[in-house]
Amino acid sequence: MKKISFVLAGLCATLIGAAHAQEKPTVQFIATGGTIAMKIDPVKKAPVPAISGDDLLATVPGVAEFAKIEVNNLSNVPSDYMDPPRWIELSKAVSTAVQRPEVSGVIVSHGTDTLEETAFWLDLTVQSDKPIVLIGAQRNASSSDFDGPRNLLNAVRIAVDEQAKGKGTMLAMNNQINAARHVTKTHTANVETFQSGDYGFLGEVYPDRVIFAREPLRRQHIAISAETMPRVDIVAMYGGADGSLLRSAVDQGAKGIVVQALGMGNMNKPMFEAVKYALEKQIPVVISTRVYNGRVMANYGFEGGGKTTADAGAVMAGNLSPQKARILLMLLLQSGKSGKEDLQAAFDAM
């Protein structure tokens, strides 16, 4: 009888162990393309889209230790091709995934050129406490030091980590975790390209554990309520700008304008006159800056200074970059907000 008991106990332990192995959390991996999905084409002798999400996953067998991975090959395009229709499609895919109770988090692979824009879009449009982790690669899959596999493994570990809940959309590359709200690409080739300026990383991924040091506080959700997004253009201010590009954008049908201004949100007289031209036609204008750190303010009182544009009816973007200010303005307009008071309140909340 004792021998039978030992056998039964061993069998139960084996079955329990197998059950626990099957209880790995589920993570959905949505592949969209980018350098992380490229290889060197022997004819073009340049990186081109070549591998699927399944192919990338196969390079990281270690992920099975942390989660069961579902692959959704949504697209395979350079991130330079990302646009509002693709963002809407991606938001739907991510939202569908996080609504499933068995899914612990979602990973999105993406090109680095517009990675920060897509991350911010998802942070605004997907409402969930589950981690959404974006990854990319600075080196293509033909490179001997391809950084895609490590970034994918780190993203899986973040997606199943309890600490990652409630932190919104994050970007995980080079063992560093950045918040979608603050992150930007700072180098064309370096693997440590993504930085968060004055605000710093959310955390880091180490071989033994994931460490978070802070969390993003200034976040908001804007539901997608339209099938197409209103056209919003970015117009750069530079020495000698004459405002003609801004006027042209208005005449060509832009529903909103973001000015990439100078300093705290300043511009010359011709650009200021163009801003007033847009405002007179009831086209909202948001003032951002080309400066990496700091915020725009209604500060300088000369013609074209931040105070004069704010007094004329323009909205101050705070410290949102022009590309992220465009996304926020686009989503606000599609939700029916177009007055200065409502727009400024939304930008101030960021």
Side-chain angles (χ1 to χ4, degrees):
M1 290 296 292
K2 286 184 178 179
K3 181 180 280 189
I4 294 173
S5 296
F6 281 130
V7 171
L8 288 174
L11 180 60
C12 287
T14 301
L15 291 173
I16 290 171
H20 284 312
Q22 293 175 352
E23 290 171 4
K24 294 289 185 187
T26 297
V27 172
Q28 185 165 115
F29 170 32
I30 301 175
T32 70
T35 299
I36 197 169
M38 293 186 184
K39 282 189 171 183
I40 299 294
D41 180 272
V43 176
K44 295 182 179 179
K45 301 187 185 310
V48 297
I51 68 174
S52 67
D54 302 271
D55 296 329
L56 179 61
L57 184 62
T59 68
V60 200
V63 299
E65 178 185 343
F66 302 99
K68 171 188 173 185
I69 310 297
E70 296 179 350
V71 180
N72 176 358
N73 290 297
L74 190 65
S75 63
N76 194 347
V77 297
S79 69
D80 312 87
Y81 293 4
M82 294 302 285
D83 56 14
R86 291 186 188 277
W87 284 331
I88 292 172
E89 181 185 24
L90 180 57
S91 286
K92 289 178 180 178
V94 173
S95 295
T96 299
V98 295
Q99 285 167 12
R100 292 167 48 198
E102 72 274 22
V103 172
S104 296
V106 173
I107 297 167
V108 178
S109 62
H110 193 286
T112 60
D113 284 352
T114 59
L115 187 50
E116 66 202 74
E117 293 177 62
T118 298
F120 188 55
W121 171 278
L122 291 175
D123 196 55
L124 289 170
T125 61
V126 179
Q127 191 167 31
S128 175
D129 283 338
K130 295 180 180 179
I132 300 167
V133 188
L134 274 72
I135 61 171
Q138 287 288 81
R139 295 163 182 161
N140 67 76
S142 295
S143 301
S144 59
D145 54 352
F146 179 36
D147 52 326
R150 178 177 63 173
N151 292 334
L152 177 56
L153 177 59
N154 286 345
V156 172
R157 292 177 59 199
I158 295 166
V160 299
D161 195 301
E162 285 293 317
Q163 301 175 88
K165 290 182 177 179
K167 290 182 172 59
T169 301
M170 294 167 279
L171 194 156
M173 287 182 62
N174 199 44
N175 297 339
Q176 299 159 340
I177 309 169
N178 284 280
R181 166 64 178 79
H182 299 120
V183 70
T184 192
K185 186 174 182 178
T186 65
H187 195 285
T188 59
N190 198 311
V191 293
E192 199 168 330
T193 179
F194 286 100
Q195 305 287 330
S196 291
D198 291 336
Y199 294 89
F201 305 126
L202 290 181
E204 295 178 285
V205 182
Y206 286 92
D208 60 333
R209 62 189 174 119
V210 177
I211 297 177
F212 281 95
R214 70 176 186 90
E215 59 184 317
L217 300 178
R218 302 178 67 186
R219 298 180 57 226
Q220 58 183 296
H221 172 69
I222 306 174
I224 297 174
S225 56
E227 288 300 315
T228 59
M229 291 291 119
R231 174 180 167 181
V232 176
D233 290 338
I234 299 174
V235 179
M237 170 60 204
Y238 48 86
D242 62 6
S244 60
L245 295 177
L246 196 158
R247 293 173 185 270
S248 177
V250 172
D251 294 341
Q252 292 297 318
K255 303 303 179 185
I257 301 288
V258 174
V259 177
Q260 180 182 292
L262 309 177
M264 284 188 178
N266 307 315
M267 62 193 72
N268 61 14
K269 290 182 181 180
M271 186 69 86
F272 178 47
E273 291 301 320
V275 167
K276 290 193 291 183
Y277 174 78
L279 294 170
E280 287 165 3
K281 293 183 176 293
Q282 306 302 307
I283 305 300
V285 178
V286 173
I287 309 300
S288 181
T289 178
R290 71 183 188 185
V291 182
Y292 178 41
N293 285 315
R295 56 184 279 251
V296 295
M297 295 176 62
N299 188 42
Y300 287 95
F302 60 83
E303 282 192 84
K307 188 174 189 308
T308 59
T309 54
D311 289 346
V315 173
M316 295 287 113
N319 70 342
L320 273 182
S321 65
Q323 56 270 30
K324 290 181 182 178
R326 172 180 175 260
I327 287 171
L328 180 56
L329 179 57
M330 190 187 306
L331 288 167
L332 290 169
L333 291 176
Q334 64 90 40
S335 69
K337 294 182 179 180
S338 58
K340 179 181 178 178
E341 187 174 338
D342 287 339
L343 294 178
Q344 189 63 71
F347 274 89
D348 286 346
M350 295 304 301

